[in-house]
Amino acid sequence: MEGQSPVPVVLDCDPGHDDMFAILLAAAHPGIDLLAVTTVAGNGPLDKVTHNALRICTAAGLHDIPVAAGADRALDGGQDTAPRIHGDSALDGTELPEPAIPLAGDDAVTVTARLLEAAARPVTIAATGPLTNVATLLRSRPDLAPKIERIVFMGGSTGRGNRTPLAEFNIWADPEAADIVLRSGLPLLMCGLDVTHQALAGPEVFARLRAIGGELAETCAASLEFYGNAYREVYGMPAPPLHDPVAIAAIVAPEVVRCVAAPVAVELAGEHTRGATVVDLHGVTGARPNAQVALELDRALFWDLVLDSVQTLAARPSADRPPAERRSG
Ligand code: RIB
Ligand code: CA
């Protein structure tokens, strides 16, 4: 990425503890021009994940990045959340200021479409929540497909799931939306559980976070503590996987993941398998590959990218951030 102009990115997310780190990395890394943060119901209801996105951007001093709210339910009308992992607020255990940033007056799809129309070069869409907003954009504005460089999404897996035995949460939450994205013909990079379960936040990550010092780093560490306790209780994992920033890291440093091209489909009808991503790693179906699928993570590089982003934002003048007294739990 050295020397190249920053990649224009719209980040669609459902914050969400790991989404928070995705926002920070996308905002801090010089290789990304973060055009907007949009929200979608997922880890929590739309109002909560949107409030969280505004609080995260406020805490990080991201006053010039539009935040727009999108879909409050899946294309089939369903609504699923993940309170066992993220808590009732969808970002429990995280002390953040009340928003000092206004929510965009238009919805996520309208804001994203406008940015694509105006973009001097095709825009990368990064998605770290259910794909409802992305699918709605593709269905309502097929004319904008040429303005989309690629879609990089955290979701799916080549094997087991985490929301059901075979379905990963983001895909499970809106399989019809995932199907639209997978059939879009656009360049896709899938960062599924295969690779994100290698992004485990062990004790050294907490130590490096706390060594940064300051409120933002402490907020991140406390957030990760809550998230880690949830993963230990629900899944028995000794360290939590920080899923979403893997998708962002793959944009700024493609070498952080090893990928293979493969056909990826999503099961829509199976009684036990709905929401499962079916990845043909060995070409047995004869289907044409429609995605790059990330399988391996360069852990050292990944954590350097994530922690450097917190360091970068924490080093910005405190005037960029609201006084502590406006903070809320
Ligand atoms: O399965 C993990 C994904 O679901 C992550 O994006 C997490 O934030 C939730 O959205
Ligand atoms: Ca997410």
Side-chain angles (χ1 to χ4, degrees):
M1 295 299 293
E2 288 299 320
Q4 292 181 5
S5 56
V7 176
V9 170
V10 171
L11 172 54
D12 189 66
C13 55
D14 61 337
H17 295 75
D18 51 336
D19 301 80
M20 176 170 75
F21 287 85
I23 292 171
L24 299 182
L25 178 53
H29 197 283
I32 286 184
D33 176 12
L34 185 56
L35 301 180
V37 171
T38 60
T39 59
V40 61
N43 285 324
L46 180 65
D47 61 333
K48 291 185 177 178
V49 299
T50 303
H51 186 64
N52 292 338
L54 290 168
R55 298 198 304 165
I56 293 163
C57 290
T58 299
L62 308 179
H63 301 283
D64 56 352
I65 295 173
V67 178
D72 65 358
R73 66 199 64 213
L75 296 182
D76 70 355
Q79 282 183 298
D80 192 11
T81 56
R84 293 195 309 165
I85 297 296
H86 299 279
D88 286 340
S89 74
L91 199 54
D92 279 15
T94 312
E95 185 184 317
L96 287 166
E98 281 308 300
I101 296 170
L103 182 64
D106 291 315
D107 67 84
V109 172
T110 301
V111 167
T112 304
R114 192 179 300 137
L115 288 166
L116 293 180
E117 286 168 335
R121 58 184 273 214
V123 173
T124 293
I125 294 180
T128 63
L131 292 166
T132 316
N133 291 338
V134 182
T136 302
L137 174 72
L138 297 180
R139 272 201 321 193
S140 62
R141 294 298 305 268
D143 59 302
L144 292 176
K147 298 301 287 290
I148 299 173
E149 174 77 17
R150 64 174 173 161
I151 300 169
V152 181
F153 65 97
M154 191 279 136
S157 86
T158 67
R160 300 192 63 77
N162 61 359
R163 180 63 184 80
T164 75
L166 288 178
E168 177 278 326
F169 177 81
N170 286 338
I171 307 301
W172 159 261
D174 197 340
E176 281 70 27
D179 188 50
I180 289 169
V181 170
L182 289 168
R183 294 176 186 274
S184 67
L186 288 168
L188 305 176
L189 170 55
M190 168 178 151
C191 297
L193 297 180
D194 311 82
V195 71
T196 67
H197 275 176
Q198 299 171 45
L200 299 177
E204 73 287 351
V205 170
F206 286 87
R208 288 176 64 186
L209 256 183
R210 292 210 153 93
I212 293 171
E215 289 181 354
L216 182 63
E218 185 47 42
T219 296
C220 289
S223 178
L224 218 43
E225 293 275 4
F226 176 92
Y227 184 64
N229 291 336
Y231 258 89
R232 197 173 301 112
E233 282 170 31
V234 174
Y235 296 104
M237 293 176 75
L242 210 60
H243 305 280
D244 293 335
V246 173
I248 306 303
I251 295 171
V252 299
E255 69 275 19
V256 78
V257 288
R258 181 183 71 82
C259 303
V260 296
V264 182
V266 57
E267 177 56 52
L268 299 178
E271 180 186 353
H272 306 289
T273 57
R274 176 168 163 81
T277 46
V278 182
V279 184
D280 178 7
L281 290 173
H282 305 297
V284 296
T285 64
R288 189 173 55 81
N290 60 335
Q292 287 291 322
V293 179
L295 295 177
E296 283 175 30
L297 181 71
D298 179 333
R299 293 166 174 81
L301 175 55
F302 171 74
W303 286 116
D304 284 349
L305 289 166
V306 169
L307 293 162
D308 286 352
S309 71
V310 177
Q311 174 101 39
T312 298
L313 295 171
R316 284 184 184 170
S318 55
D320 285 345
R321 284 189 288 282
E325 63 269 14
R326 280 218 297 262
R327 294 191 168 282
S328 70

